[in-house]
């Protein structure tokens, strides 16, 4: 399988460069808080003021550990569910663009290798709770139930008539488990689903179903890829997060090429909030209406869950299953400044992400590459350990939740209840690893991960 040249900038659609300026205005705005100093936003990423270390590129053929697995000898009967992240979309959306693979189709490629694979589609800016409820209904079958207490607390409907499913795997139970592979926020969603399956939720237990618990062992393995398991400073405030979310989704719309973005087939799946797309409504109008809605006044949405403080709260609630194994991959697309130690985007990082990742000197607000201070809720004090990133998520956040422990995977036997760090994919930004926007061919990576998960019985 052909791989991209190590230091070649992937082809980008014209809309991405246009959107990068808009994202910069969001990421470099004035700091918030009592010590904030208002500064003008710049219109372009400044030239790095120092030399940086050489960029690295991972050959995706090396992402099977500890050595390439004999895929033909594996038991491929355990279904693999692909769980998308922020801004993601289903197979019946995006005019043929695949979240998993871009112009390539990871699901169909893996099915061609003999795996049972399904692509889930949850609310792209919904909370992990709402997404976990939708994921459960899609796998098991039936209509989504967000839980009576949860719905009442956050002010949305308990159900959505449009979200009733035949089920990817109706026989799903402890004797017929599944594997979950989540990219970005999809990793958080997968972990929360496991928690609810195992233990249910006390406040919503009267709603039954998922919230009753008693389903330990239904998920054999969870693999997170580029997941903000400890959150991202890029989502710490709505002033930063909402423009970033909006422009990321506009980038997906613009990537369909000759088709007008106004006709982009995309659904925010926010029927529980009454935010359905009206017949004939243009995508831009719909996108703007969602991001101007009252959902952002709630904590029941992605911006809070992806923030460092929101992720800390999610981690405290979710804990670690006693019956499921956890694995994680990092992605990285920054390189170290030789004097400051700041992290600068590599030339191949998507231009939509570069303004978020870039380290800005005072008086500008720091970017991910040199983030300092504390998270707004005080959960974390940022240090240089948070600087290396993939354009949205710091590398330190992509592994086990803080305080829960993990081990580097080097080929040892794995056991339920433990977390294993599989390694770092260098030179691939947060979106590259899905095959989207840069349109890199990532089929080898996902073949390797499907084989690895099939080996973990």
């Amino acid at each position: 399988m052909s791989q991209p040249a190590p230091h070649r900038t992937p082809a980008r659609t014209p809309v991405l460069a246009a959107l990068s300026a808009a994202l910069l205005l969001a990421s470099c705005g004035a700091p918030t808080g009592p010590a904030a100093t208002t500064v003008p936003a710049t219109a372009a990423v400044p030239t790095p003021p120092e030399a940086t270390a050489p960029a690295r590129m991972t050959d995706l053929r090396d992402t099977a550990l500890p050595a390439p697995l004999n895929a033909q000898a594996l038991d491929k009967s355990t279904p693999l569910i692909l769980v998308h992240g922020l801004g993601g979309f289903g197979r019946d959306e995006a005019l043929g663009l695949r979240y998993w693979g871009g112009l390539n189709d990871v699901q169909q490629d893996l099915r061609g290798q003999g795996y049972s694979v399904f692509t889930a589609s949850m609310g792209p800016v919904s909370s992990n709770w709402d997404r976990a409820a939708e994921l459960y209904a899609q796998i098991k079958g039936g209509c989504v139930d967000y839980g009576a207490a949860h719905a009442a607390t956050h002010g949305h409907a308990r159900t959505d008539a449009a979200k009733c499913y035949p089920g990817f795997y109706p026989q799903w139970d402890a004797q017929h488990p599944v594997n979950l592979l989540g990219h970005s926020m999809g990793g958080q969603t997968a972990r929360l689903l496991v928690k609810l399956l195992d233990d249910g939720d006390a406040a919503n237990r009267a709603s039954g179903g998922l919230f009753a618990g008693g389903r330990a062992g239904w998920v054999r393995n969870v693999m997170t890829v580029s997941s903000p398991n400890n959150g991202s400073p890029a989502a710490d405030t709505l002033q930063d997060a909402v423009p970033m979310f909006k422009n990321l989704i506009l980038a997906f719309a613009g990537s369909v090429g000759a088709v007008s973005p106004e006709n982009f087939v995309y659904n925010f799946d926010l029927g529980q909030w009454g935010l359905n797309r009206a017949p004939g409504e243009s995508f831009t109008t719909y996108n703007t209406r969602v991001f101007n809605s009252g959902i952002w006044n709630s904590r029941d949405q992605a911006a809070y869950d992806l923030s460092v403080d929101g992720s800390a709260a999610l981690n405290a609630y979710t804990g670690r299953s006693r019956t499921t194994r956890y694995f994680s991959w990092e992605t990285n697309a920054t390189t170290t400044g030789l004097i400051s130690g700041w992290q600068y985007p590599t030339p191949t990082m998507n231009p939509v992400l570069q303004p978020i990742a870039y380290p800005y000197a005072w008086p500008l607000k720091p970017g991910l590459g040199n983030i300092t201070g504390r998270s707004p809720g005080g959960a974390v004090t940022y240090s240089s350990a948070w600087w290396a990133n993939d354009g949205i998520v710091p590398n330190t956040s992509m592994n086990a939740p803080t305080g829960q422990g993990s081990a580097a995977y080097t080929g040892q036997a794995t056991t339920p209840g433990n977390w294993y760090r599989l390694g770092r994919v260098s030179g691939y930004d947060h979106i590259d690893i899905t095959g989207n926007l840069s349109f890199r061919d990532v089929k080898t990576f996902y073949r390797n991960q499907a084989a690895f998960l099939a080996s973990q019985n």
Side-chain angles (χ1 to χ4, degrees):
M1 179 175 299
S2 62
Q3 299 294 325
H7 302 292
R8 185 179 303 160
T9 302
R12 309 288 183 180
T13 55
V15 70
L16 303 187
L19 288 171
S20 65
L23 268 169
L24 184 63
L25 296 178
S27 62
C28 298
T32 58
T37 301
T38 302
V39 296
T42 54
V45 174
T47 302
E50 61 179 314
T52 58
R56 298 176 57 195
M57 176 69 76
T58 298
D59 186 335
L60 295 185
R61 291 172 296 183
D62 296 333
T63 55
L65 293 170
L69 296 162
N70 181 359
Q72 303 307 312
L74 296 170
D75 178 358
K76 303 177 182 179
S77 62
T78 301
L80 173 61
I81 314 298
L82 303 177
V83 187
H84 70 68
L86 176 72
F89 43 86
R91 293 180 61 80
D92 58 347
E93 301 178 75
L95 301 170
L97 184 73
R98 304 301 186 196
Y99 183 89
W100 299 95
L103 297 180
N104 298 295
D105 191 333
V106 167
Q107 174 181 291
Q108 289 306 105
D109 180 68
L110 292 179
R111 287 184 174 182
Q113 301 294 310
Y115 299 97
S116 176
V117 183
F118 301 94
T119 299
S121 177
M122 298 77 57
V125 295
S126 294
S127 66
N128 280 302
W129 181 284
D130 288 5
R131 285 163 52 92
E134 292 165 10
L135 179 58
Y136 173 76
Q138 287 178 40
I139 301 172
K140 185 64 174 175
C143 297
V144 68
D145 182 354
Y146 299 110
H150 173 84
T153 297
H154 296 287
H156 65 64
R158 176 179 170 180
T159 61
D160 182 347
K163 297 173 186 173
C164 294
Y165 310 97
F168 296 145
Y169 196 50
Q171 63 268 47
W172 185 28
D173 59 21
Q175 287 69 49
H176 304 88
V178 301
N179 291 321
L180 301 177
L181 192 161
H183 169 251
S184 188
M185 189 179 185
Q188 288 184 322
T189 302
R191 292 193 294 113
L192 178 56
L193 176 60
V194 172
K195 161 65 177 180
L196 293 173
L197 288 168
D198 281 16
D199 302 323
D201 177 73
N204 291 274
R205 200 174 306 279
S207 296
L210 173 62
F211 308 111
R215 295 172 172 84
W218 284 36
V219 175
R220 177 169 288 162
N221 303 294
V222 167
M223 178 182 287
T224 71
V225 177
S226 314
S227 289
N229 290 311
N230 290 296
S232 173
D236 272 353
T237 67
L238 286 179
Q239 294 96 321
D240 290 345
V242 171
M244 178 180 72
F245 292 6
K246 184 175 181 178
N247 286 298
L248 177 64
I249 292 166
L250 284 173
F252 284 126
S255 68
V256 296
V259 179
S260 171
E262 293 303 310
N263 299 320
F264 189 52
V265 180
Y266 188 90
N267 196 328
F268 282 98
D269 292 322
L270 291 171
Q272 72 271 33
W273 293 94
L275 290 170
N276 293 309
R277 187 172 181 177
E281 185 177 21
S282 74
F283 176 71
T284 299
T285 300
Y286 178 47
N287 189 56
T288 299
R289 184 161 61 88
V290 167
F291 284 102
N292 288 339
S293 73
I295 184 177
W296 305 105
N297 297 322
S298 164
R299 285 188 169 184
D300 193 34
Q301 39 81 8
Y304 176 71
D305 276 0
L306 293 172
S307 71
V308 171
D309 296 317
S311 295
L314 180 73
N315 292 340
Y317 175 82
T318 301
R320 181 82 60 82
S321 172
R322 301 169 298 280
T323 59
T324 298
R325 296 173 177 86
Y326 297 83
F327 304 93
S328 58
W329 277 104
E330 301 176 35
T331 46
N332 174 267
T334 58
T335 186
T336 307
L338 296 180
I339 298 175
S340 69
W342 293 354
Q343 292 289 318
Y344 293 88
T346 60
T348 59
M349 183 185 286
N350 195 298
V352 172
L353 305 182
Q354 288 187 19
I356 304 168
Y358 201 88
Y360 297 96
W362 187 89
L364 295 178
K365 178 182 177 182
L368 285 185
N370 64 342
I371 187 72
T372 57
R374 291 181 67 83
S375 59
V380 168
T381 298
Y382 298 120
S383 68
S384 58
W386 284 79
W387 292 353
N389 67 84
D390 68 355
I392 294 182
V393 180
N395 284 104
T396 193
S397 182
M398 296 180 196
N399 295 302
T402 299
Q404 292 190 16
S406 65
Y409 179 75
T410 57
Q412 70 269 38
T414 62
T415 55
N418 288 319
W419 189 297
Y420 302 90
R421 305 185 307 274
L422 297 177
R424 177 177 293 186
V425 184
S426 296
Y428 282 74
D429 67 39
H430 193 77
I431 305 174
D432 282 336
I433 200 62
T434 68
N436 254 307
L437 300 189
S438 65
F439 304 112
R440 286 180 169 175
D441 189 341
V442 294
K443 293 195 298 292
T444 295
F445 178 78
Y446 290 103
R447 286 184 183 183
N448 287 342
Q449 305 325 306
F452 179 81
L453 289 173
S455 74
Q456 301 300 306
N457 296 319

